Amino acid sequence: MNSFDLIYEKITPKKVKLKQHKPVIISVPDINFTGDSLKFILERLKYLKNFKAIQLHVIFDLGKTNFSDKITFLLLDIIFYDLFKTTRWMLDLKINVELCLGAFNSGIKTTAFYRTLEKPGAEFDRNTFIKEFEKFVTTEDTYRRYVTREKFEQKSTILSAISTDISTVLSQIYDDENWINEVCNVIDELIDNTYSHTESDCLIDINVCNVSDCESKNYKLLNIAVLNFSEDRIFDRIKNNIKEEKYSHTDEVYQNVYKAYQNHQQFFNEIYNEDDFFNVTVFQNGVTTRNLCSGTSGTGLTELIRNIVGKTKDSYSYVLSGENILFFGNKYLEIKDKHFVGFNEEADYISCRPDISVIKRSRVYIPGTIFHLSLLRENYDG
C-alpha cells in the first residue's frame, strides 16, 4: 500500500543476528497478539530492511495466536504485502489458524495470509499472496476490497459500487433495511473521509459472525474496518487551518471551534493532548477541509455512527490516526445544537474535555487513518 513504509519512521530498530545459510526467525513471545506484538515485529523488520536487496529467508513463527481485534491481523496482512512488494526475501508464516477462529477473530478468513495458506500445498508464495491481497472478495458474510488511489479518482462510481455490494451482503444477514442503509451511509462517509483527508490506497474489510452471550442469546457481530496510510493524519489539515486561523471568525461553527480550542488548552496533558482535541474536532458536524466555510448540508459522520451504534447491544468502535485513538462510546455521542459532540457525559464539546475512557494511545504510530466499528446486534428488531 502507498505510504505504508511510513509506519517504520517512529520505530526503533532491534538488531537481529544474521547467520549464513540460516533463516531469520521472528517469534512473537505472547500468545495474545496486540499492538505490542506488532511493535515487536516492526522493530526487527526495520533493522532487517537494511538488507532488503538480499535474498533473506524470514520465518514468522506465531504458533498459537489470539488476535486482540480485527485491526491487528489486518495490519499483519499489510506488513506481509509490503514485504513481498519491496524486498527480495522469501517469507514463511507458521500459525495455528484454527486457534484463531473465535468470534472476534472470525474475520481472519478474509486475510490474504489465511487464503494463501489455505491453497493446495500451503506455501507462503509471493505471487499468490499479492494476488490474494489485491483480490476483491465477497461471500455471504464477508466483504473485502483493496481500492487504489487511481480507483478513487472515479469516486462516485466506486463509492456507489461499494455501497451496493455491502448492502447486498448485509441484506442476507439482517432484517432491518433502515439500519443496513445507515451502515452503508457510515461506510460511504468513512471512505469519503479517507479520500478527502489523504491521498493513498484504502483497504475495506467487513465480516459478520454469530456470537452468544452468557444467557445463550444469539447475536450478530458486524466488524467494519477501513484502513489507509498517508503522511497526513485525519486531523492534520484541520489542525493546521485552526492554528493558523484560516477559518473565518464570523462563521458560527468555527467561532465555537476557536472558543473550544482556547478552552481546552487548560486540559492538555500526557493523557489528553492537542492532537486529541483536533481528532475530536474532525467529528464535529460542519467542520470540513474541503473549503474554509463550515458545511451545512448532509448528516455528520458522528451522527451517522450514533445512528448505528444506538441500535446495538454493545459496540467496540474507534478511529486511530497517528498514535491517537478516539472511541465511539454510545453514551458519549449526543449531538448538541445540531453540530457539536463532546464525547463526554456533559455532551459539551466547547467547555469540557472528552471522557477519559474515549482517549487512548496506540503502541504503534499509524501514518494515516484506521476506522474500526465492531457492532453487536440482535437480528430480529427490524
Side-chain angles (χ1 to χ4, degrees):
M1 295 181 76
N2 292 344
S3 302
F4 179 76
D5 59 323
L6 295 172
I7 202 170
Y8 292 99
E9 285 193 356
K10 294 185 181 291
I11 292 290
T12 302
K14 297 287 187 183
K15 188 173 182 179
V16 178
K17 289 184 179 180
L18 300 179
K19 297 181 181 179
Q20 194 171 12
H21 307 304
K22 295 284 188 179
V24 176
I25 301 176
I26 298 178
S27 299
V28 178
D30 197 334
I31 189 173
N32 294 313
F33 196 99
T34 64
D36 284 323
S37 308
L38 286 168
K39 185 179 179 184
F40 179 92
I41 290 173
L42 290 167
E43 287 170 342
R44 283 141 187 85
L45 289 178
K46 183 168 184 177
Y47 173 80
L48 289 173
K49 278 215 163 191
N50 293 317
F51 311 97
K52 64 183 180 181
I54 298 175
Q55 290 182 315
L56 293 178
H57 181 194
V58 182
I59 300 173
F60 295 85
D61 188 0
L62 303 186
K64 299 177 180 179
T65 301
N66 178 42
F67 291 97
S68 61
D69 71 4
K70 187 180 187 73
I71 299 304
T72 50
F73 59 71
L74 290 180
L75 285 172
L76 183 63
D77 215 31
I78 295 169
I79 287 172
F80 294 143
Y81 180 69
D82 175 69
L83 294 177
F84 275 131
K85 295 284 281 188
T86 63
T87 74
R88 299 181 64 197
W89 304 346
M90 181 175 76
L91 305 181
D92 273 320
L93 173 62
K94 295 182 178 180
I95 181 171
N96 192 327
V97 174
E98 293 305 315
L99 294 179
C100 302
L101 296 182
F104 291 93
N105 286 324
S106 61
I108 198 173
K109 290 183 178 182
T110 66
T111 61
F113 68 75
Y114 179 91
R115 286 181 281 121
T116 299
L117 293 176
E118 284 291 288
K119 298 285 183 184
E123 292 185 1
F124 207 49
D125 174 71
R126 180 188 307 271
N127 292 332
T128 302
F129 182 92
I130 291 173
K131 182 179 179 181
E132 291 297 328
F133 187 92
E134 296 176 352
K135 181 189 291 185
F136 170 38
V137 178
T138 181
T139 69
E140 62 183 12
D141 57 6
T142 62
Y143 177 91
R144 175 175 164 127
R145 190 165 192 157
Y146 173 51
V147 186
T148 64
R149 181 64 189 182
E150 291 70 32
K151 288 276 184 69
F152 268 134
E153 296 303 327
Q154 307 162 4
K155 179 181 170 185
S156 59
T157 304
I158 192 67
L159 282 178
S160 176
I162 290 170
S163 185
T164 300
D165 291 338
I166 293 173
S167 178
T168 299
V169 171
L170 297 183
S171 294
Q172 299 177 64
I173 301 168
Y174 293 101
D175 300 327
D176 189 341
E177 184 177 348
N178 288 334
W179 192 72
I180 291 171
N181 290 335
E182 288 168 348
V183 169
C184 291
N185 286 337
V186 167
I187 295 170
D188 282 350
E189 281 290 321
L190 295 182
I191 298 169
D192 187 48
N193 202 293
T194 294
Y195 177 87
S196 300
H197 290 281
T198 63
E199 296 183 3
S200 185
D201 304 341
C202 179
L203 178 64
I204 307 152
D205 195 299
I206 299 168
N207 76 284
V208 183
C209 65
N210 296 312
V211 296
S212 300
D213 64 11
C214 58
E215 298 176 352
S216 299
K217 285 187 177 180
N218 296 320
Y219 297 89
K220 298 287 187 183
L221 180 68
L222 171 62
N223 281 296
I224 302 168
V226 179
L227 305 87
N228 99 292
F229 296 89
S230 166
E231 291 183 358
D232 293 326
R233 296 169 297 179
I234 190 173
F235 52 82
D236 277 333
R237 295 182 188 180
I238 285 173
K239 176 181 179 179
N240 179 67
N241 287 350
I242 293 172
K243 289 178 74 71
E244 295 190 8
E245 300 189 24
K246 292 184 178 181
Y247 296 120
S248 171
H249 281 267
T250 62
D251 186 300
E252 184 179 357
V253 170
Y254 291 117
Q255 280 180 356
N256 284 297
V257 170
Y258 285 128
K259 183 178 179 181
Y261 181 44
Q262 193 68 32
N263 291 339
H264 279 242
Q265 292 183 45
Q266 65 181 307
F267 304 130
F268 294 157
N269 54 34
E270 291 183 0
I271 297 173
Y272 173 63
N273 62 29
E274 185 179 70
D275 285 342
D276 292 311
F277 169 79
F278 290 114
N279 202 18
V280 167
T281 301
V282 168
F283 295 94
Q284 306 308 314
N285 195 13
V287 173
T288 177
T289 58
R290 293 183 178 91
N291 54 61
L292 296 181
C293 297
S294 59
T296 56
S297 62
T299 304
L301 177 57
T302 304
E303 189 165 351
L304 289 171
I305 291 173
R306 184 170 181 256
N307 287 345
I308 64 171
V309 170
K311 284 192 174 181
T312 63
K313 177 181 182 292
D314 198 4
S315 69
Y316 178 75
S317 304
Y318 60 84
V319 58
L320 162 58
S321 194
E323 65 173 7
N324 302 84
I325 303 174
L326 175 64
F327 278 89
F328 300 112
N330 187 39
K331 69 177 183 177
Y332 301 126
L333 294 179
E334 182 179 342
I335 310 293
K336 199 170 186 179
D337 299 327
K338 297 183 180 180
H339 286 288
F340 302 112
V341 54
F343 292 93
N344 50 40
E345 290 185 356
E346 297 85 355
D348 188 344
Y349 161 73
I350 296 172
S351 302
C352 300
R353 57 154 291 168
D355 190 85
I356 192 171
S357 66
V358 305
I359 302 294
K360 301 295 180 184
R361 293 287 175 268
S362 172
R363 295 290 291 152
V364 175
Y365 181 93
I366 299 297
T369 304
I370 294 173
F371 286 99
H372 181 214
L373 306 178
S374 187
L375 309 169
L376 190 64
R377 188 172 193 264
E378 291 181 90
N379 193 34
Y380 51 75
D381 52 331

